[in-house]
Amino acid sequence: MDWPALAAAVAGCTACGLCRERKQAVLGVGDPRADWLFVGEGPGAEEDARGEPFVGQAGRLLDSMLAAIGLRRGEDVYIANAVKCRPPGNRTPEPGETAACWPYLSRQVDLIRPRLIVALGRPAAQTLLNTEVKIGAARGRLFDHRGIPLIVTYHPAYLLRNLADKALAWEDLVFMRRTMRGLKAS
Ligand code: URA
Ligand code: SF4
């Protein structure tokens, strides 16, 4: 599937129950040849209405996090989610739903071929690493996703509720930036 075929497949997808209450599926946004791929959980109400990931409150924090390491949405950055349709009430997507949606994210990874993947929160990390993940234990380490380095950090919505962990998220951003520098130099 190329990008247009992928976009069409996602827009009309009924592979899991999340299709029933969505306004629209949210494929992702950004540079299709980005070095950086950020993966969140799933669209919220604003994302569902606008068709773009991370445009609500958590998205504003994500934009600040990107800015802190010299990045901007759309410039060498692609932003996607583990599930493309909004879970009702913003609940966490169920394993069956992330599994049903995985082929689309997988294809995005293959089309973008980023240098580094950043998993924002547990559902993204568990989907991409195909294993149980605890963010507190997994952050600060370099994982591998089919040959692409992967870093795990807190989800911005979690950070909005747990301000004390923002310092750890900052450490993670520094680690990401350092890792990317190393990848570009090698
Ligand atoms: N949270 C996510 O995980 N993704 C979005 O697109 C918005 C909020
Ligand atoms: Fe299809 Fe993914 Fe939407 Fe489920 S969440 S209906 S698998 S696009």
Side-chain angles (χ1 to χ4, degrees):
M1 271 197 282
D2 58 8
W3 280 110
L6 179 61
V10 167
C13 181
T14 56
C16 85
L18 295 181
C19 69
R20 285 196 290 273
E21 291 185 52
R22 71 176 177 221
K23 287 202 181 76
Q24 59 188 319
V26 181
L27 175 63
V29 69
D31 180 351
R33 303 179 58 173
D35 283 338
W36 296 83
L37 171 60
F38 289 82
V39 181
E41 184 170 317
E46 289 185 59
E47 291 77 19
D48 181 55
R50 286 178 50 189
E52 180 171 336
F54 282 102
V55 290
Q57 206 190 1
R60 282 190 288 282
L61 178 54
L62 178 61
D63 285 335
S64 311
M65 291 163 69
L66 295 176
I69 50 172
L71 296 175
R72 280 170 63 115
R73 176 182 294 251
E75 292 180 12
D76 206 20
V77 172
Y78 192 96
I79 303 172
N81 279 309
V83 292
K84 311 309 188 197
C85 304
R86 181 192 182 203
N90 298 341
R91 64 164 172 76
T92 304
E94 291 165 6
E97 293 161 349
T98 51
C101 213
W102 162 244
Y104 302 127
L105 178 59
S106 173
R107 188 68 193 134
Q108 286 175 300
V109 172
D110 287 341
L111 288 168
I112 298 165
R113 299 181 136 278
R115 278 191 216 249
L116 181 62
I117 301 173
V118 179
L120 302 164
R122 255 186 123 194
Q126 295 189 152
T127 300
L128 287 156
L129 295 172
N130 197 24
T131 183
E132 286 271 315
V133 174
K134 289 210 168 65
I135 301 298
R139 53 175 291 278
R141 292 169 51 192
L142 203 54
F143 292 88
D144 174 274
H145 174 82
R146 292 184 289 172
I148 302 171
L150 183 147
I151 289 172
V152 167
T153 188
Y154 296 106
H155 191 287
Y158 168 89
L159 295 172
L160 290 169
R161 298 188 306 266
N162 300 271
L163 295 179
D165 283 336
K166 269 194 169 178
L168 299 176
W170 170 253
E171 287 175 15
D172 294 345
L173 288 166
V174 172
F175 176 51
M176 285 171 214
R177 185 174 54 184
R178 190 172 72 235
T179 301
M180 181 61 86
R181 284 207 184 120
L183 291 168
K184 287 187 170 174
S186 65

